[in-house]
Amino acid sequence: LYSDGRFDYSNIPVYLQDKLEGMNFEEDPIPEVVSLGSHHKESYFIQFADGTQSYRNLPENLESHIEKSNSKVDIIGFGNDGTWDNYYVRFFNGNVYKSLQKKLKKKLKKKYRDLKISSVSFGSYRGRTSYAVNFSNGHQTAAMKSDTFHNDYYRTAPEYVVVGDEGDYIMMQ
């Protein structure tokens, strides 16, 4: 998703792909927030500049928070490790709702309590939760039990990390 509303994609949920391909960029509002989930192959959330949203197969409690809110989503991430629905959503009105594994919840409460989250992603690898949380000051915390993740993370000192399923990740400098 580029700042002008253009986008590139690969292997995204069919319904989301159809929605994006049907857009008229001269008339339709541009996408502003998009997130893919890891607990269902057709799981996604997208929000457009006019505040309209489209989503499918979200964790039940997350969907309920979105439906009850009268504010636009600022940041969203969600996924599942096979047993636990992880999600984090912050609305522009300041409300935050989350369902996080204990280790991440503790980190955010203690070590990173004074930092503002700028993005969050969840995935699952070998039955365990993977996550990447980026903060507005450039700091981040990430975890994945992958053969290459930690070597790449410490070797490159990336500025931005996104995790997915099956050991997929993106690190950007």
Side-chain angles (χ1 to χ4, degrees):
L1 183 62
Y2 302 106
S3 60
D4 66 357
R6 291 180 302 117
F7 50 84
D8 290 315
Y9 59 84
S10 175
N11 198 28
I12 64 173
V14 173
Y15 192 82
L16 176 59
Q17 181 175 333
D18 292 345
K19 184 172 270 309
L20 292 173
E21 288 176 350
M23 290 184 61
N24 177 342
F25 284 97
E26 293 180 16
E27 296 178 18
D28 294 335
I30 63 171
E32 287 186 330
V33 178
V34 65
S35 184
L36 302 176
S38 66
H39 63 290
H40 189 283
K41 66 180 183 151
E42 292 295 316
S43 179
Y44 76 90
F45 172 91
I46 189 166
Q47 178 176 273
F48 298 91
D50 67 354
T52 58
Q53 302 167 336
S54 178
Y55 48 85
R56 286 197 171 209
N57 299 302
L58 298 180
E60 188 175 322
N61 289 341
L62 173 59
E63 188 170 329
S64 175
H65 293 305
I66 290 169
E67 288 174 353
K68 290 177 183 176
S69 179
N70 58 0
S71 180
K72 288 172 63 175
V73 169
D74 184 19
I75 294 170
I76 188 170
F78 52 96
N80 185 293
D81 62 11
T83 58
W84 183 263
D85 282 334
N86 295 284
Y87 63 83
Y88 179 95
V89 61
R90 182 176 70 220
F91 295 92
F92 275 103
N93 66 7
N95 290 339
V96 173
Y97 300 97
K98 55 193 169 193
S99 173
L100 307 171
Q101 65 163 204
K102 252 186 203 178
K103 184 178 177 181
L104 177 57
K105 186 186 272 187
K106 188 175 180 179
K107 269 187 179 182
L108 294 177
K109 191 173 186 177
K110 295 187 183 244
K111 186 174 182 181
Y112 299 105
R113 71 180 172 275
D114 296 327
L115 300 181
K116 185 175 181 181
I117 293 174
S118 61
S119 71
V120 60
S121 62
F122 296 99
S124 177
Y125 185 61
R126 296 182 181 163
R128 299 186 70 175
T129 298
S130 304
Y131 62 82
V133 180
N134 297 284
F135 300 97
S136 56
N137 69 351
H139 286 89
Q140 60 192 308
T141 182
M144 177 183 283
K145 300 295 181 194
S146 157
D147 299 331
T148 59
F149 180 82
H150 287 287
N151 289 339
D152 289 346
Y153 185 81
Y154 291 111
R155 179 181 49 80
T156 62
E159 292 179 18
Y160 190 80
V161 178
V162 175
V163 299
D165 282 339
E166 306 303 320
D168 297 341
Y169 57 88
I170 300 168
M171 294 184 186
M172 295 173 265
Q173 301 256 66

